Amino acid sequence: MGRIICLMGKSAAGKDTIYRELAGDGELGLQKIIPYTTRPVREGERNGVEYFFTEEADFWILKEQGRVIEDRAYHTRHGLWRYFTVNDSQFQDESRNYILIGTLEAYGKLQEYFGRDRLVPVMVELEDGIRLQRALDREKGQEHPRYEEMCRRFLADSEDFSEDRIREAGIGRRFQNEELHRCLEEIRNYIREETGRHMRQGNTAHWQE
């Protein structure tokens, strides 16, 4: 059974760039898991690439069907926005290794759903001043900038990714994204170690049976 790489970090820490690089690495062979959201599409985003963009009613249909693995709701100045992971056709092949972007809360719920051993946490960090400038530059590039929402997310991250919560989640190793190339290499080596160790353990268990 394959592993699920859960990429986490505060907003504007570089998760999207790292996610694209890792998902496009043929040697790692990671299958992307695309999340769902009810928030509006941002400029440059495409449905089915960054997210599956859906409506509130669709979320509740999936919820009633028992297909929502984890979900988060944010009351923004622009309304209620949901982000959630669905047990859909993306998870069909249990022998594959997958990668997705999540939060600490999502990581915990994914562990409950799939089992602790299947999850590999990858926590990306970046100095707050650099993150804030990146977030501001990104928002400026939007046709309709939402600066209030940007500030809300930035402040909420301090609580969502507090040291206490990181410790409670059992996450020890973290990756500093001060230099992208070095950070990517460290994460790639970590993923190789974790997926390789899991495969060896699985083979040993199969041999013992």
Side-chain angles (χ1 to χ4, degrees), residues 19-81:
Y19 174 77
R20 288 193 298 269
E21 290 291 330
L22 295 175
D25 188 326
E27 182 183 343
L28 292 177
L30 302 175
Q31 179 68 38
K32 293 191 297 184
I33 297 297
I34 301 171
Y36 291 64
T37 185
T38 62
R39 75 155 169 77
V41 182
R42 291 175 180 160
E43 187 175 353
E45 290 181 330
R46 293 169 293 168
N47 187 44
V49 178
E50 290 83 10
Y51 292 95
F52 289 115
F53 294 95
T54 187
E55 302 293 333
E56 180 76 6
D58 298 319
F59 164 78
W60 285 109
I61 290 172
L62 291 167
K63 188 82 169 177
E64 290 170 2
Q65 293 173 347
R67 296 172 61 194
V68 175
I69 298 171
E70 59 84 22
D71 64 277
R72 293 142 279 145
Y74 300 98
H75 295 275
T76 76
R77 294 177 64 90
H78 306 279
L80 177 65
W81 293 355

Side-chain angles (χ1 to χ4, degrees), residues 80-97:
L80 177 65
W81 293 355
R82 296 187 189 275
Y83 296 81
F84 51 103
T85 306
V86 175
N87 189 356
D88 56 13
S89 60
Q90 297 182 90
F91 285 102
Q92 279 186 340
D93 189 350
E94 293 188 353
S95 66
R96 295 289 302 270
N97 292 317

Side-chain angles (χ1 to χ4, degrees), residues 140-158:
K140 280 182 177 180
Q142 300 296 312
E143 183 177 355
H144 302 290
R146 296 184 172 93
Y147 296 116
E148 298 92 342
E149 174 58 19
M150 181 202 76
C151 292
R152 184 203 66 77
R153 288 186 63 188
F154 188 87
L155 294 173
D157 279 341
S158 296

Side-chain angles (χ1 to χ4, degrees), residues 71-179:
D71 64 277
R72 293 142 279 145
Y74 300 98
H75 295 275
T76 76
R77 294 177 64 90
H78 306 279
L80 177 65
W81 293 355
R82 296 187 189 275
Y83 296 81
F84 51 103
T85 306
V86 175
N87 189 356
D88 56 13
S89 60
Q90 297 182 90
F91 285 102
Q92 279 186 340
D93 189 350
E94 293 188 353
S95 66
R96 295 289 302 270
N97 292 317
Y98 295 96
I99 184 169
L100 54 78
I101 296 177
T103 63
L104 281 172
E105 182 183 0
Y107 173 67
K109 291 181 178 179
L110 286 162
Q111 283 185 316
E112 293 174 6
Y113 193 93
F114 290 106
R116 182 179 297 270
D117 290 342
R118 286 201 69 186
L119 271 293
V120 177
V122 175
M123 176 68 71
V124 177
E125 297 183 329
L126 184 63
E127 192 272 326
D128 283 349
I130 300 174
R131 288 197 307 108
L132 183 58
Q133 186 61 58
R134 285 185 179 181
L136 182 59
D137 291 342
R138 181 173 63 188
E139 206 60 39
K140 280 182 177 180
Q142 300 296 312
E143 183 177 355
H144 302 290
R146 296 184 172 93
Y147 296 116
E148 298 92 342
E149 174 58 19
M150 181 202 76
C151 292
R152 184 203 66 77
R153 288 186 63 188
F154 188 87
L155 294 173
D157 279 341
S158 296
E159 180 178 352
D160 293 344
F161 289 93
S162 68
E163 289 299 317
D164 286 342
R165 291 191 176 186
I166 292 173
R167 184 166 52 251
E168 288 171 3
I171 296 173
R173 186 166 181 180
R174 311 183 200 180
F175 300 89
Q176 301 299 320
N177 190 21
E178 296 173 357
E179 200 284 307

